[in-house]
Amino acid sequence: AQSVTQLDSQVPVFEEAPVELRCNYSSSVSVYLFWYVQYPNQGLQLLLKYLSGSTLVKGINGFEAEFNKSQTSFHLRKPSVHISDTAEYFCAVSDIAGGSEKLVFGKGTKLTVNP
Amino acid sequence: GAVVSQHPSWVICKSGTSVKIECRSLDFQATTMFWYRQFPKQSLMLMATSNEGSKATYEQGVEKDKFLINHASLTLSTLTVTSAHPEDSSFYICSVMRQETQYFGPGTRLLVL
């Protein structure tokens, strides 16, 4: 069974500072990996995804993530955050080899960007 | 991507009544849709997978007679919470599957009094 661990429940940073949100997964098979962002009282918006190919994935709003198979990680990074990046971020994995379309989510990381 | 809408965006109802939530895929035909619920400050929990023209597949612990799902067309899936109780109050979110990726609706906030 798959699982996703987001190591930090809350990450406070100052505006224009770099940020890294950590995500580790456990799975015995090949997976697809996703990062979603959720603003208050809204649904989830896809930030980026890794399906295959280059392990460095660039997404919207200046975010990027790197898939590291040996460390089973998919950490999200942004070199300079804005106040508007304050939101909840979810890492998710799906089991492609098993033919499952289901997503398993981490518990989320609340990013707070302070002025 | 995909554009997904939900209606209503929020609803308040009395205990014992039923509430229907609609999920629409606006820009493509979705054979598979998913329904999630999210409690405050928690992650999303998959409730069921909705397949067009067939019965939904429910996750363990989700009462299929309480949460009725209908996926009658390739652009519409509905979730009906029957005989709602205060513990059913939650944020319900649907998603559609397109090219190995799920795209989410804006969610429906349900409050049962």
Side-chain angles (χ1 to χ4, degrees), chain B residues 18-67:
Chain B
S18 294
V19 175
K20 180 184 283 188
I21 301 170
E22 294 184 348
C23 176
R24 292 184 184 275
S25 175
L26 299 182
D27 60 347
F28 88 108
Q29 295 181 324
T31 55
T32 304
M33 293 185 178
F34 300 88
W35 286 96
Y36 295 83
R37 66 186 298 181
Q38 184 181 33
F39 291 105
K41 300 187 187 301
Q42 293 189 27
S43 190
L44 279 72
M45 290 180 52
L46 179 64
M47 299 176 66
T49 302
S50 169
N51 297 295
E52 189 268 338
S54 63
K55 292 183 178 180
T57 303
Y58 291 81
E59 295 300 299
Q60 191 172 10
V62 177
E63 300 176 58
K64 61 180 180 181
D65 294 330
K66 181 169 185 60
F67 298 99

Side-chain angles (χ1 to χ4, degrees), chain A residues 2-15:
Chain A
Q2 303 161 82
S3 67
V4 178
T5 302
Q6 291 184 243
L7 297 165
D8 305 297
S9 60
Q10 297 187 56
V11 174
V13 295
F14 287 109
E15 193 174 16

Side-chain angles (χ1 to χ4, degrees), chain A residues 24-36:
Chain A
N24 287 88
Y25 68 94
S26 65
S27 175
S28 59
V29 295
S30 297
V31 296
Y32 289 154
L33 294 156
F34 305 84
W35 275 100
Y36 290 90

Side-chain angles (χ1 to χ4, degrees), chain A residues 36 38 41 43 49 101-102 106, chain B residues 38 43 59 101-102 106 109:
Chain A
Y36 290 90
Q38 185 179 35
N41 297 309
K49 60 184 177 182
E101 299 174 314
K102 296 181 184 179
Chain B
Q38 184 181 33
S43 190
E59 295 300 299
T101 302
Q102 288 190 31
R109 174 89 44 204

Side-chain angles (χ1 to χ4, degrees), chain A residues 2-79:
Chain A
Q2 303 161 82
S3 67
V4 178
T5 302
Q6 291 184 243
L7 297 165
D8 305 297
S9 60
Q10 297 187 56
V11 174
V13 295
F14 287 109
E15 193 174 16
E16 297 183 5
V19 71
E20 178 180 81
L21 305 184
R22 296 180 292 171
C23 173
N24 287 88
Y25 68 94
S26 65
S27 175
S28 59
V29 295
S30 297
V31 296
Y32 289 154
L33 294 156
F34 305 84
W35 275 100
Y36 290 90
V37 59
Q38 185 179 35
Y39 300 100
N41 297 309
Q42 295 186 28
L44 274 67
Q45 180 181 6
L46 179 68
L47 271 180
L48 48 79
K49 60 184 177 182
Y50 172 79
L51 303 183
S52 65
S54 173
T55 57
L56 181 61
V57 180
K58 294 189 183 296
I60 63 171
N61 300 341
F63 284 94
E64 64 180 32
E66 186 157 18
F67 169 53
N68 188 318
K69 189 173 182 179
S70 63
Q71 297 187 6
T72 60
S73 68
F74 192 55
H75 301 330
L76 181 70
R77 302 185 184 97
K78 185 169 183 177

